[in-house]
Amino acid sequence: MKEIVTGIIANVDAGKTTLSEALLYETGALRNLGRVDKGDAHLDTASLEKQRGITIFSHQTKLTTGNTSLNLLDTPGHLDFIEETEAVLAVLDYAIMVIAAPDKLSQQTKTLWKLLAHYQVPTFIFVNKIDASTESQASILARLKAELAEGCLAFSQPDLEEIALQDEATLSQFLETGTVSDSQILDLIAKRQVFPVYFGAALKLRGIKDFLAGLDQWTKVNQAQSDLSLRVFKISHDTQGQRLTWVRMYGGSLQPKDVLFGEKLNQIRVYDGAKFELRPKLTTGQVAALTGLTKTYPGQALRIENTQPVMKPVLSYQVDLKGHDIHEVLPALKLLEDEHPQIQVSWSSQLQRLAVQVMGEIQLEVLQALLKERFNLEVGFDQGSILYQETITAPVEGVGHFEPLRHYAEAHIYLEPNPNAGLSFASDCSLELLASNYQSQIMTALKQKEHKGVLIGAALTDVKLTLVGGKAHLKHTEGGDFREATSRAVRQGLMELRQRGNCQLLEPWYDFVIEVNQDLIGKVMTDISRLAGKLDSTKSKGNILVGKAPVATMRSYPTSLRSLSHGEGLIELSFAGYYPCHNQAEVLAASDYQPESDTDNTPQSVFCSHGAGHTVNWQAVPQTMHCPYYRWQVD
């Protein structure tokens, strides 16, 4: 029997959890159908999910259809919890996207589609609630083709000619032979050239048998890795507080007492909703939760590439302790951060400020409820602020020197713009300049440091950092010396760029779709301009406006639109990414960040003369450094 890992994803209210229930019921894994609105859905196991009637956390279950064993992962539908969904996408063989037939394709659906493309996940589409739609199946298919991909094809009775049209080589063969083999169709689906579409109504079990048969027939097992390989995609805690590390296996096997990431695992648990079975072994293609591991994190991988999330939190809120001791609240938030790394908890002892980063207000409400439910802590939050990022617009070679008495290290790091790629690291340094162990120390220091910009101290992004040279001392260089020199080199380079006006502030933007009565279009367009938004003229038409706008200006606009339209206007916001800040000068003035006073991220270097170490300002480092520039010269 083939083992397949699949996940169900969808916009809110598309019927994602209802489809999960229907699949489980139809295959005999459930005796009774649960319902989200009644709080008895098999996979919505957390009390908060039952109370709110939405999926907040990803959950595992298993079912069998034909010759296929499906490890099924249900995911949250709300935009605020999209990071949980994204973590699951990285471990899927196939995804099931649920689309509600009566609804237009939402911005969130399109965001999920982009994430599926980013992680290259083959995808089946289940068009749900077909009984509530007046639109024909042909019309719905045409929409999917136009708005998602040309390869969205009805698969209840596959049209071989339509399938062949999605690939030149397959089409050539079809024109010669008049047929397309099952193996070719399987390959086209796996390569994301064809996306099988099925129609039904999950609540009434319509189309479920047909869909299950399709999942059995049109999925195949990926080639297993020869050695032990896996990916961590989730951290959680059970009701007794035991930490669970959720993994997907790509090769090899695991048993209790095996050592993984330097720690001994205790139990292997395969969950079915809230219940689990202990397994003596975990093998290729399977998903399980492991106990005993304390240092794992989502995205961590063994013998396969680590993943970095695309979706980022865009808002920061200061925590109001409401009389609780910081030593109670901080550990509780840190535990929740362990489960959801995107939350990112920060504590400033200097400012006595505790803050959290989140995607939106619903996630904040859930965080508040979790603190109450799990830790009996009632806290509040302020109005929130925007999470900015910083990048650079020109290259520079930064130099860091660390030479207090009996220590020595000099590092040269080349910084260059790396658009839309986050931070990346490379080495282009001869072993004649620096021995491999010193180069390794520098690369480790680069990767472990949380690099900040020099405009407002926000996180640095979209920069490539390359080791290009440096120097060690045969007698005095110690382990931490290059860590100090490396950090100072990056900061010194950033300060050079700041002085030249080549540092740039980035802010999060929303994609928006606004639908209002025709008589309000002019007023809304004026509002969008006032909010520094940009209309997409190719997609805006009639009474529908499509475009992008800064989160800072647009986050409160839904309330204004409801008032303006007397509750009839519709607005949909989804995270678009980070773009240049629309009011950089204003933000810089309000921040008043002094990079030279940031002692944890100093751009100054330390040199030794007359038997004592002394600090040299970043501007004077080029005249004082011991090695020449390797790539970049000061004008």
Side-chain angles (χ1 to χ4, degrees), residues 546-583:
V546 179
K548 287 181 171 60
V551 171
T553 60
M554 191 57 101
R555 58 187 284 213
S556 60
Y557 191 64
T559 303
S560 301
L561 185 69
R562 280 194 294 271
S563 175
L564 175 67
S565 64
H566 303 290
E568 295 182 358
L570 301 175
I571 182 169
E572 189 176 348
L573 303 174
S574 62
F575 178 63
Y578 273 81
Y579 297 90
C581 182
H582 77 284
N583 61 337

Side-chain angles (χ1 to χ4, degrees), residues 228 253-260 263-266 293:
L228 176 64
S253 63
L254 279 176
Q255 295 178 329
K257 308 307 178 186
D258 282 350
V259 174
L260 182 63
E263 297 181 288
K264 185 182 292 185
L265 70 91
N266 293 330
L293 308 179

Side-chain angles (χ1 to χ4, degrees), residues 114-425:
K114 290 177 184 176
L115 286 174
L116 289 168
H118 175 78
Y119 289 101
Q120 287 296 294
V121 185
T123 304
F124 287 71
I125 297 173
F126 186 82
V127 180
N128 194 24
K129 305 182 183 180
I130 197 69
D131 55 326
S133 175
T134 58
E135 192 176 3
S136 69
Q137 292 187 13
S139 176
I140 293 171
L141 267 178
R143 277 200 290 124
L144 297 180
K145 286 173 177 284
E147 299 185 51
L148 296 182
E150 188 64 32
C152 294
L153 306 177
F155 250 67
S156 293
Q157 294 180 326
D159 184 317
L160 296 184
E161 184 175 356
E162 272 198 314
I163 292 171
L165 284 169
Q166 308 310 311
D167 178 71
E168 287 187 12
T170 307
L171 179 60
S172 296
Q173 181 187 309
F174 176 77
L175 293 174
E176 290 180 11
T177 65
T179 187
V180 180
S181 69
D182 283 2
S183 63
Q184 287 175 305
I185 297 174
L186 284 166
D187 285 342
L188 291 175
I189 295 170
K191 293 175 182 176
R192 289 180 47 84
Q193 291 176 268
V194 168
F195 304 92
V197 179
Y198 293 82
F199 295 85
L203 193 60
K204 298 180 180 178
L205 298 178
R206 281 181 55 185
I208 300 302
K209 287 183 180 178
D210 194 22
F211 185 53
L212 284 165
L215 290 173
D216 180 38
Q217 182 175 3
W218 302 118
T219 55
K220 64 177 183 176
V221 177
N222 291 321
Q223 185 175 358
Q225 303 281 345
S226 57
D227 297 319
L228 176 64
S229 55
L230 54 84
R231 188 187 308 281
V232 178
F233 66 93
K234 176 179 175 177
I235 301 296
S236 66
H237 291 78
D238 65 14
T239 53
Q240 281 72 48
Q242 281 204 79
R243 188 177 189 271
L244 305 178
T245 297
W246 295 75
V247 300
R248 186 264 159 88
M249 298 288 289
Y250 290 93
S253 63
L254 279 176
Q255 295 178 329
K257 308 307 178 186
D258 282 350
V259 174
L260 182 63
F261 300 121
E263 297 181 288
K264 185 182 292 185
L265 70 91
N266 293 330
Q267 296 178 333
I268 298 173
R269 300 181 180 182
V270 174
Y271 273 81
D272 180 16
K275 300 177 181 178
F276 67 86
E277 292 181 2
L278 293 179
R279 296 289 176 86
K281 191 174 186 179
L282 191 64
T283 58
T284 301
Q286 296 182 331
V287 171
L290 312 178
T291 67
L293 308 179
T294 63
K295 299 175 184 177
T296 46
Y297 55 88
Q300 186 177 12
L302 180 65
R303 295 191 180 90
I304 54 174
E305 186 179 356
N306 285 19
T307 57
Q308 296 296 323
V310 174
M311 307 305 292
K312 307 282 187 182
V314 298
L315 299 170
S316 176
Y317 290 84
Q318 187 169 340
V319 181
D320 178 1
L321 297 177
K322 289 192 173 181
H324 292 293
D325 190 288
I326 183 62
H327 300 294
E328 290 182 282
V329 179
L330 185 56
L333 281 172
K334 281 293 185 182
L335 186 143
L336 294 177
E337 180 188 40
D338 182 36
E339 298 178 356
H340 311 281
Q342 294 294 78
I343 289 176
Q344 292 190 19
V345 178
S346 62
W347 162 249
S348 170
S349 55
Q350 182 179 358
L351 299 175
Q352 291 292 292
R353 182 180 185 271
L354 180 62
V356 295
Q357 300 178 7
V358 294
M359 289 294 295
E361 293 181 359
I362 301 298
Q363 188 180 28
L364 194 70
E365 291 173 10
V366 167
L367 183 62
Q368 196 169 24
L370 286 172
L371 286 168
K372 172 63 177 172
E373 179 185 274
R374 291 172 59 176
F375 308 100
N376 197 30
L377 294 170
E378 292 194 43
V379 302
F381 299 93
D382 69 0
Q383 292 300 307
S385 57
I386 301 300
L387 278 170
Y388 295 95
Q389 294 182 350
E390 297 184 36
T391 191
I392 62 176
T393 58
V396 69
E397 184 175 320
V399 182
H401 191 96
F402 186 70
E403 193 186 358
L405 191 62
R406 297 187 181 87
H407 293 268
Y408 187 95
E410 182 166 302
H412 288 234
I413 308 297
Y414 189 72
L415 292 75
E416 58 189 315
N418 195 25
N420 303 314
L423 291 180
S424 63
F425 310 94

